[in-house]
Amino acid sequence: MEKQACKKFKINKKQARRVYEILRLKNTNTSDKAAYLSYRLDVKNRLNAPFQKKKLEMKKLQKVLKSEEYMATITSTGANETQSRLSSQYLDLEEEYRRVIHRMDHD
């Protein structure tokens, strides 16, 4: 479906994902906790990808750095900070998606 959208509308993969997420939010019943949770988790998994990549890089650093250097590096990027940043990104993104949906409904 993604490849078809990219080819037909001449958009890249990132744009196709954004369109998909907006349309999925529009069609998700936010009163249905399970459906809304599924939507949120899918979006958060996409937003979490860079943090997972960073986590892998940190594992590689652990092998190379001395223990005190590694501890100094890891304390600067805590799990709570990552979680709050992810939550903030999701809320901003959902707000932006809702604005787009609102414009779609009024055109």
Side-chain angles (χ1 to χ4, degrees):
M1 195 167 68
E2 175 189 312
K3 289 179 184 177
Q4 290 173 344
C6 291
K7 189 174 182 177
K8 183 176 181 179
F9 299 111
K10 298 184 180 186
I11 58 177
N12 64 35
K13 185 178 177 180
K14 189 175 180 179
Q15 291 168 322
R17 180 66 185 201
R18 180 177 164 91
V19 169
Y20 168 76
E21 288 175 353
I22 291 169
L23 293 175
R24 185 167 173 204
L25 177 61
K26 185 178 192 297
N27 293 308
T28 298
N29 180 1
T30 54
S31 301
D32 180 3
K33 290 185 181 199
Y36 188 51
L37 178 65
S38 174
Y39 170 77
R40 283 193 340 255
L41 288 176
D42 283 346
V43 174
K44 284 184 178 181
N45 282 336
R46 180 184 61 80
L47 293 174
N48 195 34
F51 294 111
Q52 292 301 322
K53 186 176 180 181
K54 189 173 184 178
K55 198 178 199 181
L56 289 173
E57 289 172 358
M58 293 303 281
K59 284 183 181 179
K60 289 178 185 177
L61 275 177
Q62 185 178 14
K63 294 176 185 175
V64 177
L65 296 177
K66 296 177 184 173
S67 63
E68 56 273 352
E69 293 173 334
Y70 177 73
M71 291 308 289
T73 305
I74 199 164
T75 54
S76 66
T77 57
N80 289 338
E81 180 184 333
T82 302
Q83 189 68 23
S84 65
R85 208 181 288 165
L86 182 62
S87 180
S88 173
Q89 283 180 342
Y90 173 77
L91 292 174
D92 292 344
L93 190 67
E94 185 174 331
E95 182 181 325
E96 185 179 332
Y97 285 178
R98 289 194 185 280
R99 279 196 305 267
V100 171
I101 292 168
H102 181 74
R103 287 195 318 250
M104 285 170 40
D105 290 342
H106 286 85
D107 284 343

